[in-house]
Amino acid sequence: MPRVNRTLVFVLLLVSSCAFLLFQLYYYRNYVSKQTGLHLLNPGGHVTSRQVQWQTLKKFLALAQYFRLPLFLADTAALTLLSHDALQQRDRTMHEPHCSFLCAGRPITSFALQASRWKDQPGFLLAAEEKGFELLEVRGHDPRLASLDTLSGEEIPLHFLFRLHGYVIQVVLLYERSGNYLWHGVLRLKAGMDRSFAPFNLLDYGRHGGAYDRPELILTVVDNLDVRVPRNISRFLAQRRRARFLECRYHDARSFLQLYPEDSSAAAVEFRRKAKTLLSLAAQTLGELDVPFWISSGTCLGWFRQCSIISYSRDVDIGVFIADFRPDIIPAFRAAGLSLKHKFGKVEDSLELSFLGEDVKLDIFFFYKDGDVVWNGGTQAKSGRKFKYVFPSFSLCWAELLEVKVRVPCETLDYIMANYGATWSVPVRSWDWKSSPSNVIENGVWPVAEWAGLIQVY
């Protein structure tokens, strides 16, 4: 019997194995990888939900990169995982590194895009559909074009929802507003839209409008994908929690001004100019101190009732929670060019500051929480009498007044009615701060021996 050449057999087996491997690679690249279904397998040979979601994101981000759309990650769950504290916990909590951050246990991932970079990209939408994505586009009126004269405003795209393999990618468009901030609109489905397209209750954006500072972005690698993220993730997430935006009530304001036409005298126009300058300066000064404020009293009434400032009020009123008080508020306003007009009360009780700029007074009322209500104090300088103005508790929303980004009480009507009663919509030119407000109550008298420190008029 002839002797078997072992070397020859080994070579034949090696060649056969290589040929088989090459055939598998050829079949994979030319058949499997071109199928619409996903084919990433875990070591056990099963496709996982994270792998499906990751592949969906990879395909979508590749399209965005091809069309040069600088999307940035705005998903709260993913960004939270990317935060510094979460990174320290990652090795102990993440057991599937393939998609540890972008696949955050939800069937939705949210991205944002500055609308100026969108420029109507039908090519992108068409390419997404060719790749198998289903699309739901939500449009709404452009508030930047709305005014008391023209209320229609053309429609603009607000949100895009892309769906593939049961996963949804939300793209929220951020528009520049005149107050130098970014805004997104409400995601409101119109008649005939598919209400089962996505789990809308899980969306990070769209339940209400939102306002943001323009974030600085960095390009990084997340889960082996090139992704833009805010450089300061913690700041962006903090803004996200307090981003709710209330649009001015243009329709109601126009109805009001038809009954009570706006004063167009030179003096009124000049006051509105000065008030805008003062409000902008207050926003900048307190913003640099990281002290949140909201427009209060007559200034808030003017925004809510007529989308403007009340020309005969002759001052600008803002509120600050006493918990946010900082001793450097007075030096900061003085450095900004305002003079201190008076200082009443103390940090523990009824603090009130008043500054003067261009002959217009800026009143800062400090609010104190007391159970289910909040209140601010008032002081009569000549008698030392104290007053208290009580409001129901409220949260804060962003708004725009005189092209300045400001906060207002989210429960604005309750706030207004507490201060001005049921007849708030009727102008009152004769107003006594000690007796006219609906929510004013007497609160004792400052001890005469303490007047020098508690009642300071300059």
Side-chain angles (χ1 to χ4, degrees):
M1 184 175 178
R3 196 171 183 182
V4 177
N5 189 326
R6 295 183 179 180
T7 303
L8 178 61
V9 172
F10 177 79
V11 171
L12 288 174
L13 290 175
L14 180 62
V15 170
S16 300
S17 299
C18 291
F20 181 71
L21 288 173
L22 288 172
F23 172 78
Q24 284 186 314
L25 179 61
Y26 172 82
Y27 182 81
Y28 174 84
R29 297 184 65 177
N30 289 275
Y31 293 96
V32 177
S33 65
K34 291 185 178 179
Q35 295 177 5
T36 56
L38 296 177
H39 46 269
L40 291 173
L41 303 179
N42 66 7
H46 303 288
V47 178
T48 69
S49 60
R50 284 180 181 269
Q51 291 166 336
V52 175
Q53 190 173 11
W54 181 86
Q55 190 76 352
T56 302
L57 288 165
K58 178 183 178 182
K59 183 180 293 187
F60 182 80
L61 290 173
L63 275 176
Q65 183 178 11
Y66 178 81
F67 283 89
R68 297 182 179 178
L69 290 178
L71 302 172
F72 70 89
L73 185 65
D75 192 272
T76 56
L79 289 176
T80 299
L81 290 174
L82 284 168
S83 67
H84 179 69
D85 291 340
L87 284 174
Q88 295 177 343
Q89 301 294 326
R90 176 176 177 246
D91 292 336
R92 294 195 294 271
T93 59
M94 295 297 177
H95 303 292
E96 191 171 356
H98 185 71
C99 195
S100 300
F101 298 104
L102 296 177
C103 307
R106 302 188 309 161
I108 294 172
T109 307
S110 300
F111 293 87
L113 174 68
Q114 292 192 31
S116 60
R117 304 298 298 271
W118 173 248
K119 296 180 181 177
D120 192 12
Q121 288 277 7
F124 175 77
L125 300 180
L126 180 61
E129 290 180 345
E130 290 177 347
K131 291 292 185 180
F133 286 96
E134 299 173 87
L135 170 66
L136 180 66
E137 178 182 355
V138 178
R139 302 176 70 90
H141 291 298
D142 188 346
R144 300 169 302 172
L145 301 179
S147 68
L148 298 183
D149 298 322
T150 304
L151 300 179
S152 57
E154 67 178 33
E155 285 202 337
I156 53 176
L158 299 176
H159 299 264
F160 292 102
L161 298 179
F162 299 87
R163 184 174 66 184
L164 181 64
H165 303 303
Y167 290 94
V168 174
I169 296 173
Q170 178 186 21
V171 176
V172 54
L173 294 185
L174 300 174
Y175 290 85
E176 295 186 17
R177 296 288 292 258
S178 55
N180 193 31
Y181 61 95
L182 300 177
W183 164 91
H184 72 75
V186 179
L187 195 159
R188 184 173 290 117
L189 297 180
K190 297 181 180 179
M193 286 186 170
D194 183 2
R195 297 182 179 274
S196 64
F197 188 89
F200 292 98
N201 61 314
L202 297 180
L203 294 179
D204 280 338
Y205 303 89
R207 191 169 292 108
H208 46 68
Y212 294 81
D213 295 334
R214 188 176 285 99
E216 182 183 357
L217 304 177
I218 58 173
L219 182 63
T220 187
V221 177
V222 180
D223 292 332
N224 294 318
L225 297 176
D226 292 337
V227 180
R228 289 177 179 81
V229 300
R231 179 180 292 276
N232 191 331
I233 292 178
S234 298
R235 174 178 168 82
F236 181 84
L237 289 173
Q239 287 193 20
R240 160 67 180 77
R241 290 190 292 270
R242 300 186 291 268
R244 185 180 175 186
F245 182 90
L246 298 183
E247 202 65 61
C248 178
R249 302 160 65 248
Y250 284 113
H251 285 85
D252 295 326
R254 185 165 70 171
S255 298
F256 171 82
L257 292 173
Q258 287 175 344
L259 291 174
Y260 309 100
E262 189 171 52
D263 186 354
S264 59
S265 66
V269 171
E270 180 65 7
F271 170 74
R272 284 191 286 272
R273 181 195 68 78
K274 292 179 179 180
K276 176 181 178 178
T277 300
L278 190 59
L279 188 61
S280 179
L281 187 148
Q284 178 179 347
T285 303
L286 292 177
E288 291 172 353
L289 295 176
D290 198 24
V291 173
F293 77 93
W294 65 94
I295 53 174
S296 186
S297 304
T299 306
C300 185
L301 175 63
W303 172 81
F304 186 73
R305 187 174 68 184
Q306 57 213 67
C307 295
S308 185
I309 201 87
I310 300 175
S311 59
Y312 55 81
S313 65
R314 299 304 173 188
D315 59 12
V316 173
D317 303 309
I318 65 175
V320 173
F321 286 116
I322 195 62
D324 296 314
F325 170 78
R326 291 182 52 171
D328 47 355
I329 288 179
I330 292 177
F333 274 105
R334 281 176 168 161
L338 301 186
S339 59
L340 182 63
K341 183 176 176 62
H342 70 240
K343 177 178 179 290
F344 295 150
K346 53 186 176 180
V347 173
E348 297 77 16
D349 183 10
S350 304
L351 183 63
E352 175 187 342
L353 301 175
S354 182
F355 296 90
L356 194 65
E358 289 195 84
D359 299 323
V360 176
K361 189 158 58 78
L362 172 69
D363 289 324
I364 304 180
F365 302 107
F366 289 88
F367 282 65
Y368 299 76
K369 294 184 179 181
D370 185 6
D372 294 333
V373 300
V374 296
W375 61 274
N376 71 282
T379 296
Q380 186 179 38
K382 64 180 181 181
S383 66
R385 293 169 63 195
K386 299 171 58 182
F387 299 86
K388 180 185 287 189
Y389 305 85
V390 182
F391 297 83
S393 292
F394 56 87
S395 53
L396 294 177
C397 288
W398 289 109
E400 185 177 311
L401 175 62
L402 302 177
E403 298 185 334
V404 179
K405 179 188 174 190
V406 296
R407 293 180 183 86
V408 298
C410 299
E411 302 79 11
T412 322
L413 180 58
D414 293 339
Y415 189 86
I416 293 296
M417 289 190 66
N419 211 180
Y420 296 96
T423 59
W424 60 268
S425 60
V426 179
V428 177
R429 289 179 174 268
S430 178
W431 184 263
D432 186 338
W433 61 271
K434 301 181 300 299
S435 58
S436 296
S438 301
N439 59 342
V440 62
I441 56 177
E442 295 221 22
N443 193 31
V445 181
W446 291 113
V448 176
E450 300 179 16
W451 280 20
L454 300 175
I455 304 176
Q456 301 176 11
V457 180
Y458 300 92

